[in-house]
Amino acid sequence: MQTIMIIDDEPVVREGLEVLIDWHGLDCQIIATADNGAAGLQDILRLKPDIVLTDIKMPYLSGLEMAAEVKKTHPEIEFVLLSGYSEFSYAQEAIKIGTFSYLLKPVEELEIIETIEKLVMKIKQRKEVQVTVETYQTMDKRYLLKELIINQKMANSLEPLLKQAPFALIQLPTLETNVEGYRAYLSERGGQGEVLEFSHGSNGYLFLTQVTKPEIDLADDWFWENELEDGVVIISQIRNHTAKLYEDIQANEQKQFLFKERVLTSERLGIAKKGASKESLSAIQQRLLEELTAATHVEEEWHMASLSHYFQRKQYSETQTKVELSKFTLSLFQELEERLNDPLADEHKETILEDIMKSQSLVALLRLLKHEFSRLHQVYLTDVDNQNIVQKMIHYTSKNYGADLNLQFLATTFNYNSSYLGKKFTAEVGVSYSKYLDQIRIREAKNLLKKSNLMIYEVAEKVGYNNIDYFHKKFKTLTQVSPNEYRKKQNQEVCS
């Protein structure tokens, strides 16, 4: 519907034009009236109507002067001038400033209707052309932007856009995402640049100009809040040129497998790489193995978190991650088989390895391993449960002699009375538990003194003695020599 303003200093004329013409039937709507040229000019510039019907001779500002002033900044606004004077000079001036029609008063109703109908048709045609041109311009801009970002083909027509550095690129699972919602969200929070979208392959992309760190954080927030169920959003790092934006996205896309986040940023990946524990894969495996074969609870969540951090720090590809975890699991199986003295079925191993290779994410893969390790722990516990309580104590001590062990701790662990446990242990083993523990610790200390270059206090700590003097006393009691003397003697035997 086209908008109309009527400006005339005669109330009868204004009201007559409003009432006599079926404006709605002409697809028009009167949005304002004014009784002089000065007031009319202000309303026109504020409301920007499509058509203005105005008298020529009015107080303060004539219709011709008002139309000429409006046409300087809004040439698209159409004017129909009404006058009671038939001088040709008025018509000439009206044509010169670009008014559509010049009608003499008194104006016939039919004449006004015909004039407005022609104007409405002209305006609609112009708007249709304008929409078509804008559509093609937008499509062209998107195509050129895609060529620039994806294929690194410079486009001269994008030169004004490329002056709006720095830039960022966001990869969406699909352009069906509410791009307008994100654009409005960003604008409401002070975003200054443009947000242009284009598609490539099955993904959608948003190209951001004049982007800053806070705006990237806002993007992160928005995509998290609008829970995307169909994939991961990847945000490139901010750059002052477009050359590496798509490379950033592609590199980060390879790391989707490692992260459970719905939004991946270059910064988040960098933090994961720098901030994770530096624990090696073999150390994680050894720690997990010791717990699996101990008669206590296994901290699966902790071990799975350690594995997750390890691979996020390494940022391996999906295939490399699966290969490394397959080798990790097979090695663990082998160690368990040796300790259980009972080989696991080959079919079961093959099933686990197949499931590893089929996993869609590191989270799913670790969930699979957590379940398997929990099952293996139960298998081992069942094997241990077939032994009596003293055998359980001996087994636990052999795995945990470096910890702060005592009879009371074991009684709590195995849910026994400590006095009963102490008497039963002494009866079956022939020495008290504390003496047995010292024997195990000193035996391991001798191995460390013989095979390592650890300092004496380090050996003491590793086998469970935090007091170096107490360690010396116990060592000499059981071996008749001091730790230093024992090490020298062993070295001499090797050299002779």
Side-chain angles (χ1 to χ4, degrees):
M1 185 167 285
Q2 315 310 312
T3 54
I4 304 280
M5 272 191 65
I6 299 174
I7 306 171
D8 199 302
D9 59 336
E10 297 182 40
V12 174
V13 174
R14 290 198 309 274
E15 292 169 8
L17 288 173
E18 283 188 83
V19 175
L20 294 176
I21 305 298
D22 178 13
W23 295 108
H24 186 76
L26 294 172
D27 193 27
C28 293
Q29 176 187 9
I30 295 176
I31 58 172
T33 62
D35 60 6
N36 65 77
L41 177 62
Q42 289 182 348
D43 285 343
I44 291 171
L45 295 177
R46 178 173 59 86
L47 299 173
K48 298 179 182 62
D50 295 305
I51 302 170
V52 177
L53 274 73
T54 180
D55 191 10
I56 289 182
K57 298 286 285 184
M58 292 185 297
Y60 308 118
L61 201 66
S62 73
L64 283 174
E65 292 170 330
M66 180 182 64
E69 189 65 30
V70 170
K71 286 288 185 178
K72 290 177 184 178
T73 54
H74 296 84
E76 76 282 1
I77 295 178
E78 301 289 350
F79 282 84
V80 177
L81 298 177
L82 309 175
S83 175
Y85 300 89
S86 58
E87 291 89 344
F88 184 65
S89 59
Y90 283 122
Q92 285 181 313
E93 186 66 25
I95 292 169
K96 190 186 296 183
I97 64 174
T99 58
F100 180 79
S101 187
Y102 178 87
L103 302 177
L104 290 175
K105 292 181 181 180
V107 183
E108 295 291 333
E109 180 181 340
L110 183 60
E111 190 177 9
I112 292 179
I113 290 173
E114 289 176 350
T115 299
I116 295 299
E117 284 177 338
K118 291 176 183 178
L119 265 181
V120 167
M121 183 175 296
K122 176 186 176 183
I123 291 168
K124 284 183 176 180
Q125 289 174 344
R126 184 178 65 223
K127 286 182 177 180
E128 287 174 1
V129 170
Q130 183 179 353
V131 168
T132 302
V133 170
E134 288 176 353
T135 299
Y136 276 111
Q137 286 177 339
T138 301
M139 289 174 62
D140 187 52
K141 194 178 210 180
R142 289 175 181 171
Y143 172 77
L144 293 174
L145 185 61
K146 174 181 173 179
E147 286 294 293
L148 174 67
I149 300 297
I150 306 297
N151 300 319
Q152 294 300 302
K153 293 181 179 178
M154 294 304 295
N156 293 333
S157 57
L158 290 178
E159 187 176 347
L161 179 71
L162 299 182
K163 291 180 180 179
Q164 301 182 48
F167 309 109
L169 189 65
I170 301 177
Q171 177 178 292
L172 308 171
T174 169
L175 266 183
E176 296 302 313
T177 304
N178 183 8
V179 175
E180 286 304 320
Y182 167 65
R183 189 179 277 119
Y185 175 88
L186 196 62
S187 176
E188 289 169 3
R189 286 155 181 79
Q192 299 298 313
E194 293 187 68
V195 180
L196 302 170
E197 69 268 24
F198 64 91
S199 60
H200 176 59
S202 60
N203 294 317
Y205 292 86
L206 299 183
F207 178 69
L208 280 61
T209 69
Q210 297 183 23
V211 70
T212 63
K213 173 64 168 59
E215 286 174 309
I216 288 296
D217 290 340
L218 285 174
D220 190 353
D221 293 343
W222 191 84
F223 288 113
W224 268 108
E225 291 169 10
N226 290 265
E227 300 181 4
L228 298 173
E229 298 177 357
D230 50 359
V232 177
V233 172
I234 306 175
I235 304 176
S236 72
Q237 59 182 312
I238 300 172
R239 292 185 175 274
N240 285 316
H241 50 80
T242 62
K244 299 290 184 181
L245 290 175
Y246 186 57
E247 287 183 25
D248 287 343
I249 292 289
Q250 287 182 302
N252 293 344
E253 191 172 16
Q254 300 303 313
K255 301 178 178 71
Q256 286 186 57
F257 180 83
L258 299 175
F259 294 85
K260 63 182 178 180
E261 285 90 346
R262 287 193 306 276
V263 181
L264 279 184
T265 65
S266 298
E267 182 183 38
R268 179 171 288 136
L269 290 166
I271 291 172
K273 192 167 186 176
K274 292 177 182 177
S277 167
K278 301 298 188 290
E279 188 176 23
S280 68
L281 200 57
S282 60
I284 297 171
Q285 184 187 71
Q286 189 60 34
R287 179 158 48 79
L288 177 57
L289 183 65
E290 295 303 328
E291 281 202 22
L292 286 173
T293 56
T296 55
H297 173 69
V298 177
E299 295 288 346
E300 288 107 339
E301 292 290 348
W302 182 33
H303 298 302
M304 296 307 103
S306 297
L307 287 171
S308 178
H309 291 156
Y310 174 83
F311 286 103
Q312 288 178 357
R313 174 168 59 85
K314 290 293 187 181
Q315 296 197 5
Y316 290 147
S317 67
E318 177 179 340
T319 299
Q320 192 175 1
T321 299
K322 289 178 176 179
V323 168
E324 290 296 317
L325 274 171
S326 294
K327 292 194 294 188
F328 174 92
T329 305
L330 282 176
S331 176
L332 200 64
F333 283 166
Q334 185 177 350
E335 289 280 353
L336 284 170
E337 285 174 338
E338 291 176 3
R339 298 194 183 197
L340 284 167
N341 195 27
D342 182 17
L344 299 168
D346 288 339
E347 295 83 359
H348 182 72
K349 293 180 192 174
E350 289 174 6
T351 300
I352 292 297
L353 294 179
E354 286 177 6
D355 289 342
I356 287 175
M357 299 310 292
K358 290 177 184 176
S359 297
Q360 298 298 307
S361 69
L362 181 61
V363 173
L365 199 161
L366 293 179
R367 192 181 299 123
L368 166 73
L369 292 184
K370 176 185 173 184
H371 174 76
E372 177 60 17
F373 295 151
S374 178
R375 188 192 68 80
L376 288 173
H377 184 233
Q378 292 304 314
V379 169
Y380 198 87
L381 281 183
T382 300
D383 183 75
V384 173
D385 281 340
N386 292 328
Q387 308 165 8
N388 64 34
I389 185 58
V390 172
Q391 290 175 315
K392 290 182 181 180
M393 293 171 69
I394 291 172
H395 174 78
Y396 188 87
T397 303
S398 70
K399 306 300 179 187
N400 301 280
Y401 57 83
D404 185 17
L405 293 184
N406 54 50
L407 192 61
Q408 184 61 50
F409 174 82
L410 291 182
T412 302
T413 300
F414 295 113
N415 196 27
Y416 276 83
N417 177 275
S418 61
S419 178
Y420 166 80
L421 209 56
K423 290 177 182 177
K424 188 168 181 61
F425 188 92
T426 302
E428 290 195 23
V429 179
V431 295
S432 68
Y433 178 74
S434 62
K435 287 184 178 181
Y436 175 80
L437 178 59
D438 284 331
Q439 290 172 0
I440 297 298
R441 285 173 168 174
I442 298 305
R443 183 190 70 194
E444 295 302 322
K446 287 163 67 178
N447 287 333
L448 290 172
L449 289 168
K450 186 189 304 184
K451 298 177 181 179
S452 77
N453 294 320
L454 292 172
M455 303 294 287
I456 301 298
Y457 77 88
E458 292 176 315
V459 172
E461 288 176 355
K462 277 193 170 293
V463 299
Y465 294 107
N466 294 322
N467 186 313
I468 187 66
D469 293 332
Y470 187 69
F471 170 65
H472 272 273
K473 179 181 176 181
K474 287 293 180 182
F475 193 93
K476 195 162 187 176
T477 299
L478 292 175
T479 65
Q480 284 74 54
V481 293
S482 70
N484 270 323
E485 290 170 337
Y486 179 83
R487 174 172 273 173
K488 287 178 183 178
K489 183 178 179 182
Q490 294 303 312
N491 290 340
Q492 289 170 358
E493 289 178 359
V494 171
C495 294
S496 60

